[in-house]
Amino acid sequence: MINGSTQLIPHIGYPTEAFRAPMIYNPWFASKQINAIVVPMGVKPKDFASTLTSIFAMTNVRGALITMPHKVEAASLVDSLSVTASIAGACNAIARNPDGSLTGDQFDGIGFVRGLRRKGVELTGARALVAGCGGVGSAIAASLAAAGVDELHLFDLDQQTREHLSQRLRTHYPHLRVVAGSTDPDGFDLVCNATPLGMHDEDPLPFDVSRLAPSTFVGEVVMKREITPLLAAARSRGCRYQIGTDMLFEMIPAYLEFFGFPEATPEELRAVATLQY
Amino acid sequence: MINGSTQLIPHIGYPTEAFRAPMIYNPWFASKQINAIVVPMGVKPKDFASTLTSIFAMTNVRGALITMPHKVEAASLVDSLSVTASIAGACNAIARNPDGSLTGDQFDGIGFVRGLRRKGVELTGARALVAGCGGVGSAIAASLAAAGVDELHLFDLDQQTREHLSQRLRTHYPHLRVVAGSTDPDGFDLVCNATPLGMHDEDPLPFDVSRLAPSTFVGEVVMKREITPLLAAARSRGCRYQIGTDMLFEMIPAYLEFFGFPEATPEELRAVATLQY
């Protein structure tokens, strides 16, 4: 129940209709009797910078969730960025420090990696292939680097996008082997689809699944359906896999911790969320 | 349940802790399955103007509730004001017109008058005394003028405040007799306490109740308790009266209408509000 003591987590993006966070965070806050809410706020690009200033001047704002199309601009507006957000060149969470300065972070990749760890996937020394070097792919690549993978192969249709990410990874992780990858998943411990392919029925598969070995773990970021065509192919070839919303439910505890809320588990969040698979 | 299609009514003020509106509007929205919420936003005076601009640029903001300490500044920031808000020199509700311009209004006085009407009080031709010429007193005076009272006696410890209100009333209602009043309630059809007196036990009474006739209707704006010392005295002298929250529950349907929501009744609102006496 919202009252004058409710703390706000503005969820800033445009358009707002597809926002998922309110339906996960808010039932969890209610279940824990925490007087806080995630509030969707539709903000157009021209208004974003000034609105962010207004929002963080509010006395009852605890932090903000930033989504499309503002993640890249957000990274340029905060006072400091985590390594992951620096590599991704984007942030999707902002918190205000006690001195009033703003810190930006990015937990998509952490959510992906936490999900893998919970499934027993060994990342130290692993060879990984990430297809898609946009916001979420960059974040996943950064988190895989932080988790100790040995080789990171990156694929993107846009070579410049891939090269920018490669350079940022090499700067922060000089011992990591960063390689220009392909859609061939052969020989990897882990392959991850971080492209939008799989949202629509007519989409091509992001990898050549005929070359997918059963020992390769397959990660997916598409959340529109639980079993995307890629995951269906992976499953039929005997691969272990991770669905898109696993990343989502794994990352939310990291956001909650970033904003200073008590510890949450993905199981608790799934149990109360009105967004489900 | 908040989701990406939820419309916002920011409730802007500082501090926020004593806000009442969320506990009345939000249960009503839920009971009617209207996807809208009143969201408290703590905004300090130095940030108010820029924050108002940011808020009304948001794509899912339906209107805003403005409270202390911003009501007077709000009246200077909108593009047009209702007559009541002009007289009050303050507005506590802002809506965006289809052309993007902002209109300010002020429904405290309308709530007070609607409550009187519902109790069968005849206002046309009445003689009324209003003690307190601040924001709420000004609004009540303006609404009593609009309702057709014949004489309006105004009392305020600050003569200048009273004179400013008197002048604005005379400008908009040239046929109304506006008179400098006193704390003597003798001879009035209606007396209204629009001062904060009655919030604390040690407060003096706003009127000399020994001179209160049983035929005089007594209105109260203090909401901190249901029966203030003034209302207790009025009741013991046989006067009819109106409690502070009657004004509140009567004004909310006017706000909802202003923001373009379906019709509400005070009874419905009282039935679902988690704010009660």
Side-chain angles (χ1 to χ4, degrees):
Chain A
M1 174 56 59
I2 299 169
N3 61 29
S5 301
T6 301
Q7 292 206 294
L8 309 183
I9 310 283
H11 185 187
I12 307 171
Y14 177 74
T16 61
E17 282 69 17
F19 282 11
R20 292 185 184 85
M23 290 97 92
I24 306 174
Y25 286 76
N26 292 342
W28 185 81
F29 287 139
S31 75
K32 296 288 179 182
Q33 297 184 289
I34 294 170
N35 193 358
I37 49 167
V38 169
V39 183
M41 296 186 185
V43 176
K44 293 185 177 174
K46 68 178 173 55
D47 303 314
F48 179 66
S50 57
T51 301
L52 197 69
T53 302
S54 293
I55 282 172
F56 275 98
M58 289 179 190
T59 58
N60 59 333
V61 163
R62 181 85 168 239
L65 295 168
I66 312 296
T67 189
M68 296 294 292
H70 305 305
K71 295 185 195 187
V72 172
E73 188 179 356
S76 71
L77 295 171
V78 296
D79 301 295
S80 61
L81 281 178
S82 68
V83 169
T84 305
S86 293
I87 292 173
C91 72
N92 52 14
I94 301 178
R96 183 172 41 199
N97 302 309
D99 67 0
S101 65
L102 300 182
T103 296
D105 211 328
Q106 157 61 288
F107 297 104
D108 288 344
I110 292 168
F112 185 81
V113 163
R114 285 188 181 195
L116 296 186
R117 288 214 169 107
R118 191 179 299 269
K119 294 172 183 72
V121 178
E122 177 59 67
L123 292 171
T124 309
R127 296 182 75 230
L129 167 62
V130 176
C133 299
V136 65
S138 297
I140 288 171
S143 292
L144 289 173
V149 299
D150 201 43
E151 272 186 46
L152 200 43
H153 293 237
L154 302 176
F155 174 73
D156 198 284
L157 290 175
D158 184 327
Q159 280 199 19
Q160 201 177 12
T161 297
R162 185 198 67 210
E163 270 313 299
H164 281 166
L165 174 59
S166 299
Q167 284 162 23
R168 292 194 300 264
L169 283 165
R170 289 187 188 110
T171 303
H172 287 278
Y173 297 99
H175 300 294
L176 176 69
R177 288 193 60 202
V178 185
V179 182
S182 72
T183 60
D184 180 354
D186 184 43
F188 289 97
D189 301 304
L190 166 70
V191 298
C192 169
N193 175 41
T195 77
L197 295 176
M199 292 187 70
H200 305 108
D201 285 335
E202 64 275 19
D203 287 343
L205 290 172
F207 299 112
D208 176 0
V209 293
S210 70
R211 300 197 29 97
L212 199 51
S215 59
T216 300
F217 191 98
V218 179
E220 175 65 277
V221 306
V222 170
M223 300 186 196
K224 201 172 171 184
R225 43 182 139 189
E226 181 169 1
I227 302 299
T228 59
L230 171 64
L231 293 184
R235 187 164 59 178
S236 74
R237 295 181 75 85
C239 303
R240 296 167 63 224
Y241 60 91
Q242 172 162 291
I243 64 174
T245 56
D246 275 356
M247 178 177 81
L248 180 68
F249 283 98
E250 290 282 352
M251 77 174 84
I252 290 176
Y255 284 101
L256 288 165
E257 189 185 333
F258 179 65
F259 295 134
F261 289 108
E263 195 177 332
T265 67
E267 292 74 18
E268 279 175 6
L269 291 161
R270 279 213 185 261
V272 297
T274 57
L275 164 81
Q276 296 292 350
Y277 273 120
Chain B
M1 173 56 61
I2 299 169
N3 62 29
S5 301
T6 300
Q7 293 207 292
L8 309 182
I9 309 282
H11 186 186
I12 308 171
Y14 177 75
T16 61
E17 282 68 17
F19 282 11
R20 291 184 185 86
M23 290 98 93
I24 306 174
Y25 287 77
N26 292 342
W28 185 82
F29 287 138
S31 74
K32 296 287 179 181
Q33 297 185 288
I34 294 170
N35 192 357
I37 49 167
V38 169
V39 183
M41 296 186 185
V43 176
K44 293 186 178 174
K46 70 179 171 55
D47 303 313
F48 179 66
S50 58
T51 300
L52 197 68
T53 301
S54 293
I55 282 172
F56 275 99
M58 289 179 190
T59 57
N60 59 333
V61 163
R62 182 84 169 240
L65 295 168
I66 312 296
T67 188
M68 296 295 291
H70 305 305
K71 295 185 195 186
V72 172
E73 188 180 357
S76 72
L77 295 172
V78 296
D79 301 294
S80 61
L81 280 178
S82 68
V83 168
T84 305
S86 294
I87 291 173
C91 73
N92 51 16
I94 301 177
R96 183 172 40 199
N97 303 309
D99 67 0
S101 64
L102 301 181
T103 296
D105 211 328
Q106 156 61 286
F107 297 105
D108 289 342
I110 291 168
F112 186 81
V113 163
R114 284 187 181 194
L116 296 187
R117 287 214 170 107
R118 191 179 299 271
K119 293 173 184 73
V121 178
E122 177 59 67
L123 292 171
T124 310
R127 297 182 75 229
L129 167 61
V130 176
C133 298
V136 66
S138 297
I140 288 172
S143 292
L144 289 173
V149 299
D150 201 46
E151 272 187 48
L152 201 42
H153 294 237
L154 302 175
F155 175 73
D156 199 285
L157 290 175
D158 183 327
Q159 281 200 20
Q160 202 177 11
T161 297
R162 186 198 67 210
E163 271 313 299
H164 281 166
L165 174 59
S166 300
Q167 284 162 23
R168 292 193 299 265
L169 283 165
R170 289 186 188 111
T171 301
H172 287 278
Y173 297 99
H175 300 295
L176 176 70
R177 288 192 59 201
V178 185
V179 182
S182 73
T183 59
D184 181 355
D186 184 41
F188 289 97
D189 301 303
L190 165 71
V191 299
C192 168
N193 173 42
T195 76
L197 295 176
M199 292 187 71
H200 305 109
D201 285 336
E202 64 276 22
D203 286 342
L205 290 172
F207 299 111
D208 176 0
V209 294
S210 71
R211 306 211 6 111
L212 198 50
S215 59
T216 300
F217 190 98
V218 179
E220 175 66 275
V221 305
V222 170
M223 300 185 196
K224 201 171 170 184
R225 45 182 137 188
E226 181 168 1
I227 301 299
T228 59
L230 170 65
L231 293 183
R235 187 164 61 179
S236 75
R237 296 181 74 84
C239 302
R240 295 167 63 224
Y241 60 90
Q242 173 163 291
I243 65 173
T245 56
D246 275 355
M247 178 177 80
L248 180 67
F249 284 98
E250 291 282 352
M251 78 174 85
I252 290 176
Y255 284 101
L256 288 166
E257 190 185 333
F258 179 65
F259 294 134
F261 290 109
E263 194 177 331
T265 66
E267 292 74 20
E268 280 175 6
L269 291 161
R270 278 213 185 261
V272 297
T274 57
L275 164 81
Q276 295 293 351
Y277 277 120

